Amino acid sequence: MSRPPTFVPPACATARTLRTDRGDFAVLDAAPAEGAPRRGTVLLLPGFTGSKEDFIALLEPLARAGYRAVSVDGRGQYETPGPDDESAYAQAELARDVLAQAAALGAGADGRAAGDGARPHLLGHSLGGQIARAAVLRAPGAFATLTLMSSGPAAITPLQRTRAQMLAEAVAALPMDEVWQAMRAMEPPPPQEAETGRDPDDGEALRARWLLHSPAQLIATGRQLSTEPDRVAELTALPLPKHVISGERDDTWPVPLLDEMAERLGARRTVIRGAEHSPNTDRPAETAAALVDFWHAHGPR
């Protein structure tokens, strides 16, 4: 589970609802300062058990670099409600949601200000990367670039598949609070706040986030992660600029596998030193700098 340093957004970001033709989605919307140059829009998709807050430490540096950064709770994640029907979380349905979000951002359908019509950059972390890939394959012209963050070419490792199956069985049989207590009991004690710089209340915030996740969403997306086919060849055929970014250690997809995927894609490859599966929370400054450098290279001058 990704652990953001805080659940409190920076001053440049607003927690609000993004209205689309496929429903409403909870987002954090960070904008450059008034009068500052605008370089484009970025749509950020969180991973399995995650939420829009996983990108909270990236929002200020991205906005400072000139990007409107919008992180989203997908359907059934945290503050975006979802149905109890697992079929609602099929990858094709989640990909269509992403296309609707991109369209709403580009057209100004957020109800706040008219959009500029420009295609957003798309970034997906872990599960979000595979959903982003599905959206791009469905409508490649909808996005300026694609960044896959700690998101591999196919299914997760056998150990992680076992964990996903255990989680699915637990949330199908037990109340979410009981599952949370069991998960916490199996984890090592968290580091002290002084060692991490984290909000001392983040444990309760993480619990609150977990309780709002849809069990059907967790079951369906856990199954996707465990059975996803290799679609790198399909993605390689698209002329869209691509970026593969990860930490230097990863137990969900081995880093050499991510290296190989980037080579097959002809993608830019970035490894964030000192980070693991979530460079967005482990090393946000370095991660933001790498993302901005890539987007600057493939956006308006």
Side-chain angles (χ1 to χ4, degrees):
M1 180 179 294
S2 189
R3 293 176 66 96
T6 179
F7 275 68
V8 179
C12 64
T14 301
R16 64 179 190 83
T17 299
L18 178 68
R19 304 194 184 283
T20 82
D21 62 10
R22 285 182 61 84
D24 296 345
F25 296 87
V27 302
L28 293 176
D29 192 339
E34 191 70 31
R38 303 292 177 110
R39 301 296 296 261
T41 297
V42 183
L43 180 59
L44 306 166
L45 311 181
F48 186 57
T49 75
S51 70
K52 60 190 179 301
E53 286 75 17
D54 291 347
F55 300 106
I56 213 162
L58 298 182
L59 297 179
E60 187 170 16
L62 296 185
R64 193 166 54 244
Y67 291 94
R68 178 188 179 192
V70 181
S71 58
V72 60
D73 288 337
R75 67 165 72 186
Q77 285 184 319
Y78 192 24
E79 294 179 319
T80 298
D84 294 332
D85 183 359
E86 290 177 33
S87 67
Y89 306 102
Q91 189 183 77
E93 295 299 316
L94 300 179
R96 291 187 184 99
D97 288 348
V98 174
L99 294 172
Q101 294 156 11
L105 293 174
D110 53 49
R112 199 178 63 164
D116 58 11
R119 297 175 300 162
H121 301 281
L122 180 62
L123 180 151
H125 172 235
S126 194
L127 169 70
Q130 297 199 332
I131 296 169
R133 179 172 74 176
V136 164
L137 289 172
R138 181 172 292 273
F143 304 99
T145 66
L146 172 65
T147 297
L148 302 175
M149 177 182 287
S150 305
S151 186
I156 53 181
T157 63
L159 176 58
Q160 294 296 340
R161 290 199 294 271
T162 298
R163 290 176 174 173
Q165 178 61 33
M166 291 173 60
L167 182 62
E169 292 171 356
V171 300
L174 299 170
M176 290 290 280
D177 196 35
E178 288 188 27
V179 179
W180 173 258
Q181 294 175 40
M183 291 193 304
R184 300 300 280 178
M186 292 187 292
E187 290 182 356
Q192 294 298 310
E193 179 199 359
E195 299 174 23
T196 64
R198 295 186 187 281
D199 186 327
D201 295 326
D202 77 334
E204 183 53 37
L206 286 168
R207 175 180 175 274
R209 175 174 74 173
W210 168 260
L211 294 178
L212 285 177
H213 269 70
S214 161
Q217 188 267 355
L218 293 169
I219 293 168
T221 55
R223 185 185 305 118
Q224 289 171 32
L225 286 168
S226 300
T227 59
E228 178 74 2
D230 189 319
R231 305 187 71 185
V232 173
E234 295 173 67
L235 192 58
T236 301
L238 302 180
L240 189 74
K242 308 167 192 76
H243 186 193
V244 175
I245 184 169
S246 73
E248 61 181 342
R249 295 176 298 279
D250 198 306
D251 62 0
T252 306
W253 288 278
V255 169
L257 186 64
L258 299 175
D259 295 338
E260 179 190 33
M261 181 181 73
E263 185 173 352
R264 292 169 63 195
L265 287 171
R268 178 181 291 204
R269 177 73 174 110
T270 302
V271 176
I272 303 297
R273 301 300 173 193
E276 298 189 18
H277 185 61
S278 299
N280 44 313
T281 60
D282 294 343
R283 294 290 186 272
E286 297 87 339
T287 301
L291 295 172
V292 165
D293 186 66
F294 173 66
W295 293 327
H296 276 8
H298 297 285
R301 299 291 179 182

